[in-house]
Amino acid sequence: MLLEEVIGQLKTLAHLEAVENMRRIEVPTDHVLGVSIAALRRFSKKIEKNHNLAQQLWNAGFYETRVLAAFIDEPDKVTERQMDRWIRESESSELCDLCCGNLFDKTPWAYQKAVEWSGKSEELTKRSGFMLMAELAVHDKKTANEEFTALLEIIKREASDDRSLVKKSMGLALRQIGKRNACLNAHAIQIATLLNTSELKPVRSIGQEALRELTDAKLLHRLQPLQSS
């Protein structure tokens, strides 16, 4: 499928309600077609994975073409430079999150970028580092605990960043890592408990929310068979 054909079909899926929804989640609407994420996901299933087309879609500059690019790109062909560029050029946390959860977490560079981005000062880049951690915790079923233990230490180190977008992604990463198995749950609870004793309210809030989820009786029961992991 050619770029012009894709954009033409996207325009037929556009409606005003989608634009209003984008405004509500603070997606800039200067370059939008008005296609919902659900419609984009359905449409993406009609297109074969295609790295070159994904690059063209990203460069087209519409919000929807960039989301679609994340849906159809080939993870093994994605470069570090591309990941840095796409995050840098994203104008909303929503787009960064979609890139992290649908493409970047499946690339060979996922853990490397999670660590690298989490130490950056730019808000969306740093958020993306922690979103990658959260997505990896959910989607990567094979990586050993040690990798995630190292990520938990980064969360502890960066917890004083009180910017809303960063704080939310950091808390999500802490909770998702702590839900992988009993061993990581115990480690995440230790860190959440430490954060909960902080003099800084934003840090305490991360710890408190994590403790509520990670000490839930149903979760602990579900994780119990994995105690030997």
Side-chain angles (χ1 to χ4, degrees):
M1 192 175 289
L2 299 175
L3 174 65
E4 294 76 12
E5 183 182 356
V6 172
I7 293 178
Q9 292 195 34
L10 288 177
K11 288 180 178 178
T12 68
L13 301 173
H15 56 88
L16 183 61
E17 183 181 349
V19 178
E20 293 304 317
N21 288 337
M22 290 177 194
R23 286 199 182 98
R24 279 196 289 273
I25 60 175
E26 299 183 352
V27 172
T29 54
D30 296 340
H31 298 92
V32 301
L33 299 172
V35 185
S36 70
I37 298 299
L40 287 171
R41 201 174 292 279
R42 289 192 295 270
F43 181 62
S44 71
K45 299 183 185 304
K46 301 177 181 179
I47 307 174
E48 292 185 5
K49 297 289 185 179
N50 188 318
H51 180 65
N52 290 332
L53 179 58
Q55 309 312 300
Q56 294 173 36
L57 286 166
W58 185 271
N59 292 334
F62 293 104
Y63 175 75
E64 292 88 347
T65 60
R66 290 186 164 183
V67 171
L68 190 59
F71 288 167
I72 72 161
D73 206 346
E74 300 171 80
D76 60 328
K77 294 183 179 179
V78 172
T79 65
E80 292 183 75
R81 183 176 181 181
Q82 176 186 333
M83 293 172 73
D84 288 334
R85 178 191 166 210
W86 282 22
I87 292 299
R88 185 173 63 250
E89 293 181 354
S90 293
E91 296 182 330
S92 70
S93 60
E94 178 82 4
L95 182 53
C96 289
D97 295 352
L98 287 166
C99 287
C100 288
N102 292 277
L103 177 63
F104 292 167
D105 63 326
K106 302 170 184 65
T107 68
W109 318 106
Y111 285 92
Q112 179 179 325
K113 286 301 173 183
V115 172
E116 179 185 327
W117 290 344
S118 65
K120 296 293 186 180
S121 59
E122 202 284 322
E123 188 171 13
L124 284 182
T125 302
K126 189 165 187 174
R127 174 189 173 86
S128 297
F130 292 107
M131 286 303 299
L132 257 183
M133 293 182 192
E135 297 291 355
L136 287 166
V138 174
H139 298 146
D140 181 1
K141 306 300 184 183
K142 298 179 179 180
T143 296
N145 286 349
E146 289 75 16
E147 193 85 54
F148 289 99
T149 298
L151 298 182
L152 287 173
E153 292 301 313
I154 293 175
I155 294 171
K156 181 171 69 173
R157 182 193 73 198
E158 299 293 334
S160 61
D161 191 324
D162 63 355
R163 291 175 293 180
S164 177
L165 292 178
V166 175
K167 186 176 73 170
K168 289 179 180 179
S169 63
M170 199 182 308
L172 179 61
L174 175 59
R175 299 192 304 275
Q176 297 292 51
I177 293 173
K179 294 176 184 178
R180 277 181 68 86
N181 57 50
C183 179
L184 287 171
N185 177 265
H187 196 139
I189 287 174
Q190 288 179 352
I191 289 179
T193 301
L194 177 64
L195 299 183
N196 195 33
T197 64
S198 173
E199 296 180 356
L200 301 175
K201 184 176 180 180
V203 179
R204 288 200 306 276
S205 68
I206 295 173
Q208 289 168 359
E209 186 173 5
L211 284 172
R212 279 195 297 271
E213 287 196 29
L214 297 179
T215 60
D216 178 75
K218 290 182 180 179
L219 173 65
L220 295 177
H221 179 74
R222 177 174 67 82
L223 296 180
Q224 195 59 40
L226 302 177
Q227 186 67 51
S228 60
S229 297

